[in-house]
Amino acid sequence: MLTSFSCSSFSLKQGRTSFIGKIPFALCFLCASGFNAQAASDNTQHLSYDDEIQVMGHYQKTRYTLNIDDYQKKGVQSILEVVKRIPGINIIHNGGPGQPASLTYRGFQQKQILVLLDGMPLNSIYTGSVDWAGISLAGLERVEFSPTGAGIEYGGLAMGGVLQLISKTPNNTSVRLASGSDAYRSIDLATGLQLQEQWSLSLQGRHQASSGTDALSNRDASGKNKAELHQDRDGYETNSFHIQSQFQLNPQLSGHVSHQRYQASSEFDSAFSAQPGSYYSVARGQSQQAQLTHSSKLTTDVQQEAHFSIGQTDHLLDNYSGNQHQQYAFRQQQARITETLLWQDQYEATFGLDASQLSTEKHSNNFPKTTTHREGQFIKIERLPLYEDQWHQRIGLIAGLRWDQDSAYGEQRSDLMQLSYHPTSNHEVRVSREYSYRTPSFNELYYPGANPKLQPEKALKHQVQWLTQWKQWHFDVSLFHNKMQDLIEGWPPKNTQKAESQGIDVALSVQWGRLWTALNMQLQRAYNQKTHDDLLATPHRTWQLEHQWLDQFSTYEYQFGQSTRWVSDQYDYGQKRLAGYSTTDLFAGLSYLEHRINVRLDNAFARSYITKVGYPMPGRTWLLTYQYAF
């Protein structure tokens, strides 16, 4: 299975020398980056701000880090339940669990936020959306979210930021069983095998299914009753499989080869049809990737780390609506080379080349067969603060510049400048300016009724941030102001000439003995500068308050807690104004040796809430999980 992937399957034909043609030259540097960073973990800390991640002997900061195991102890089944803890992120649902969902952040939509699993892109080549139901928590170690600097390293796919899902290498076998309301059931398996001292193999798999709920509401946006037309059960089934082989050829050379498959099927009512069971979809996909990393000490003062990766992703989507069948198949091939040099543990320079080819392999409904080539080059220079007494040694600087060549839109540019200062070792101030872009998706350009005249979106982002970490206190406040040009919104899609989003994010967490408390808040205004209408799916205010009590008695560990989230009114993707909503989730857990039992009660007090017109989330739901590791 793993050997079916071949570098020869990737080729880009352009008028000038192709990126692949540059690889032999680049490999002379033993190029590779993709740091195998290990995050410091704290069992009492769920959302950490700037965890120290060791890289090449120095410490590099990440924006937000979430430990997956902390949330599995709460019985969480969906990766979205984890991600929504990040300040500023809002979740949009088309019905209950397993149905289409997306996230927004500071006025940016899902298609503008890149999602990676161990470096493999999960965004649909067709729309930029992500099949969140197909992502298994089994085998994941942590989630990292970086809203700043992603455009430099990843180009036009990460205008709004990058969300990275990092797998772990299990040293045992764990099985997780779950059952809940609406006939929900799931099985998760994660296992690892150390075949030799230099070679390991890990495997993760998941099956989950539900009979579902009635996805389409019998009430319109104003709350008035409609005809009883939608009374069927809208369920789903997801199967996913991920295998990864890691190897260490010598102390300097390491790498991994991975393969992932998934299939997700769902049936839900169409908002544009009066017939129950009128819409059914099956999504299938597979990804394979090979990575090679080389690190060495060139001189007493200079270290280098180089990285080469190549991968391919295939997506196949079948839509059934009445007697109509539409099928779309897409392929993305990509290669990436970076070289990082670290001088005196203080100055770091990264040079990178990457390329991708996106193509439609099958098409229907007049969707054209299209291929797009992209090639990018970037350079990023960092001055790392040493946290010593002299004030100038507490200053950090990041500067980056990127050039992209797109076969459809020509040359595009991105840049970044970030300055940080540490008045003490517990405090940090950051100021950043970033310019990035995104080209339109296949769906926005070519789907019937779409707009082939769309122009690339552009964003100029500014942020001022204060971070404090003192003993068990963590505090993070950010002021942001984003200016967007030619923003693509609505359907049929069109460019909004000028738009803005501005506001403040606040995150606070504290450990009081056995009690952990966290508060996340965002106040924002995202609007069209010409009409002053709000941008789609951007609430003015969101709050999230969470408590957890953790204690131990003899060999038993128990915990219980609560999470409350409040979201103000907003426009959905159909440009309909929706009322605000509030949800409260309760959970309890008990662990004994290798056994763990969790019970959850979600949406305990609200019967239902709407994040898109006609598609309410289900009312009160429950979930029981059992996990055993051996």
Side-chain angles (χ1 to χ4, degrees), residues 105-109 111-114 146-162 378 400-404 411-417 432-440 455-463 481-488 495 497 499 501:
Y105 181 76
R106 294 182 176 177
F108 296 104
Q109 299 180 15
K111 60 188 178 183
Q112 299 155 331
I113 300 172
L114 179 62
S146 302
T148 304
I152 295 297
E153 295 197 39
Y154 301 100
L157 300 176
M159 185 173 76
V162 59
F378 70 90
L401 191 61
R402 181 184 178 95
W403 300 267
D404 283 283
E411 188 172 84
Q412 304 289 333
R413 176 186 59 84
S414 305
D415 59 64
L416 167 68
M417 180 70 71
S432 65
R433 174 201 180 276
E434 180 180 11
Y435 178 84
S436 53
Y437 77 99
R438 185 189 74 94
T439 57
Q455 297 299 311
E457 303 172 308
K458 304 174 184 65
L460 179 61
K461 303 190 294 184
H462 299 88
Q463 177 179 262
H481 185 195
N482 304 324
K483 292 186 176 181
M484 292 163 276
Q485 182 178 350
D486 293 326
L487 185 68
I488 300 173
N495 288 113
Q497 187 175 8
S501 66

Side-chain angles (χ1 to χ4, degrees), residues 39-258:
S41 61
D42 183 348
N43 292 333
T44 64
Q45 185 178 327
H46 298 266
L47 173 62
S48 59
Y49 314 105
D50 292 346
D51 267 352
E52 291 183 332
I53 294 185
Q54 190 168 9
V55 179
M56 292 174 56
H58 73 278
Y59 290 95
Q60 178 171 309
K61 298 293 189 175
T62 61
R63 181 65 171 90
Y64 291 106
T65 301
L66 302 98
N67 189 335
I68 294 296
D69 188 60
D70 289 333
Y71 294 95
Q72 291 207 31
K73 290 179 180 179
K74 301 178 181 182
V76 166
Q77 286 291 101
S78 165
I79 186 67
L80 285 177
E81 289 295 309
V82 179
V83 171
K84 74 179 185 180
R85 265 73 176 188
I86 298 173
I89 282 187
N90 188 42
I91 308 298
I92 306 297
H93 298 274
N94 289 20
Q99 304 296 356
S102 63
L103 58 86
T104 65
Y105 181 76
R106 294 182 176 177
F108 296 104
Q109 299 180 15
Q110 177 69 82
K111 60 188 178 183
Q112 299 155 331
I113 300 172
L114 179 62
V115 181
L116 301 173
L117 172 61
D118 296 330
M120 294 186 294
L122 298 182
N123 298 73
S124 166
I125 305 166
Y126 175 35
T127 63
S129 61
V130 176
D131 180 19
W132 293 102
I135 301 175
S136 171
L137 293 179
L140 287 184
E141 178 182 300
R142 65 185 188 275
V143 174
E144 295 178 1
F145 179 62
S146 302
T148 304
I152 295 297
E153 295 197 39
Y154 301 100
L157 300 176
M159 185 173 76
V162 59
L163 185 75
Q164 302 196 58
L165 311 179
I166 312 298
S167 294
K168 62 183 176 183
T169 302
N171 54 10
N172 58 11
T173 298
S174 65
V175 179
R176 192 165 186 258
L177 308 175
S179 179
S181 52
D182 299 319
Y184 175 85
R185 64 272 188 195
S186 71
I187 301 175
D188 290 281
L189 172 68
T191 186
L193 182 62
Q194 191 75 34
L195 301 178
Q196 295 179 1
E197 185 177 348
Q198 296 84 15
W199 184 26
S200 65
L201 188 69
S202 61
L203 171 68
Q204 299 93 38
R206 156 174 274 199
H207 166 78
Q208 63 172 349
S210 171
S211 63
T213 60
D214 182 18
L216 200 62
S217 172
N218 290 318
R219 296 176 181 272
D220 60 19
S222 65
K224 296 181 180 179
N225 288 323
K226 298 186 296 184
E228 300 289 328
L229 298 175
H230 310 278
Q231 294 299 311
D232 66 325
R233 306 285 286 180
D234 300 312
Y236 71 96
E237 180 177 341
T238 301
N239 297 284
S240 61
F241 172 81
H242 182 221
I243 185 170
Q244 181 169 269
S245 176
Q246 295 179 316
F247 54 86
Q248 183 84 36
L249 299 180
N250 57 52
Q252 290 79 37
L253 190 61
S254 63
H256 77 257
V257 181
S258 59

Side-chain angles (χ1 to χ4, degrees), residues 10 22 64 74 105 108 134-135 238 243 245 277 316 334 341 345 459 548 570 585 590 614 616:
F10 186 97
K22 300 176 183 178
Y64 291 106
K74 301 178 181 182
Y105 181 76
F108 296 104
I135 301 175
T238 301
I243 185 170
S245 176
L316 178 64
Q334 58 182 8
L341 300 174
D345 289 337
Q548 176 177 313
Q570 60 186 297
D585 305 331
L590 177 66

